[in-house]
Amino acid sequence: MKAFLFCVLFLFSTALARGQNLVGCKYSEIRKYMRENKKDMSFNNVRNNDFNYLKYSNSSDSQTILFFLGRDSVCKSVRMILEPELKATKIKEMDSTYRKAGTNKWIDLKNGKLYNVELRDEIWSSVITIVPVK
């Protein structure tokens, strides 16, 4: 029984470490995850009266991750902003992490809930959003 529990926990932590779908996680859980698993990303202390979010960016500012939080400090959506040259690498990562659902679209199943993962090209960047399926 202990071996089974260990295997389940190991698989869960491995899956979480691969993707960045932290929708449903609390503020403190996101901070801990990023500190332990994304050491190349720095926390940016930002204040905004309209939105409650956590912002992380890498040292070259080629990637930024925003975790949008509700009033209860639980993550409601994730947005990653990338320089265009990172797009191909991210697509490969998402192809191996999530289930393909179309061109630049994926579905993630986490804790029995479905999430849409979508990559969009913008003028100066590529943007990945992760939101719950409604």
Side-chain angles (χ1 to χ4, degrees):
M1 182 65 175
K2 287 183 183 179
F4 174 74
L5 182 60
F6 174 78
C7 288
V8 169
L9 289 174
F10 177 77
L11 288 173
F12 176 76
S13 66
T14 302
L16 186 60
R18 287 180 65 200
Q20 291 164 331
N21 182 357
L22 299 179
V23 175
C25 293
K26 295 179 182 175
Y27 173 94
S28 59
E29 294 169 328
I30 296 168
R31 292 292 311 263
K32 181 180 179 189
Y33 171 85
M34 294 298 289
R35 188 172 41 255
E36 293 174 357
N37 298 292
K38 298 292 181 182
K39 295 181 187 327
D40 61 323
M41 304 292 286
S42 299
F43 175 69
N44 305 121
N45 194 6
V46 291
R47 289 205 162 281
N48 185 319
N49 292 332
D50 297 324
F51 299 102
N52 186 15
Y53 65 94
L54 297 172
K55 179 181 177 182
Y56 287 85
S57 58
N58 63 3
S59 60
S60 63
D61 282 332
S62 61
Q63 182 175 346
T64 299
I65 305 174
L66 304 169
F67 298 96
F68 292 95
L69 310 173
R71 293 183 189 265
D72 55 0
S73 294
V74 173
C75 183
K76 303 298 181 196
S77 66
V78 178
R79 180 175 296 154
M80 290 177 255
I81 304 161
L82 321 163
E83 288 190 353
E85 49 274 0
L86 296 176
K87 178 182 172 181
T89 303
K90 273 297 181 188
I91 288 174
K92 287 180 187 177
E93 178 185 318
M94 291 188 302
D95 282 345
S96 69
T97 304
Y98 308 119
R99 186 179 49 151
K100 192 84 169 153
T103 304
N104 294 333
K105 294 181 181 184
W106 299 264
I107 296 289
D108 185 25
L109 175 63
K110 181 180 127 188
N111 299 330
K113 295 181 182 176
L114 292 174
Y115 298 87
N116 286 321
V117 180
E118 183 177 1
L119 183 141
R120 288 185 335 273
D121 289 321
E122 297 193 353
I123 295 173
W124 304 107
S125 62
S126 293
V127 178
I128 299 167
T129 56
I130 303 173
V131 295
V133 172
K134 295 184 180 193

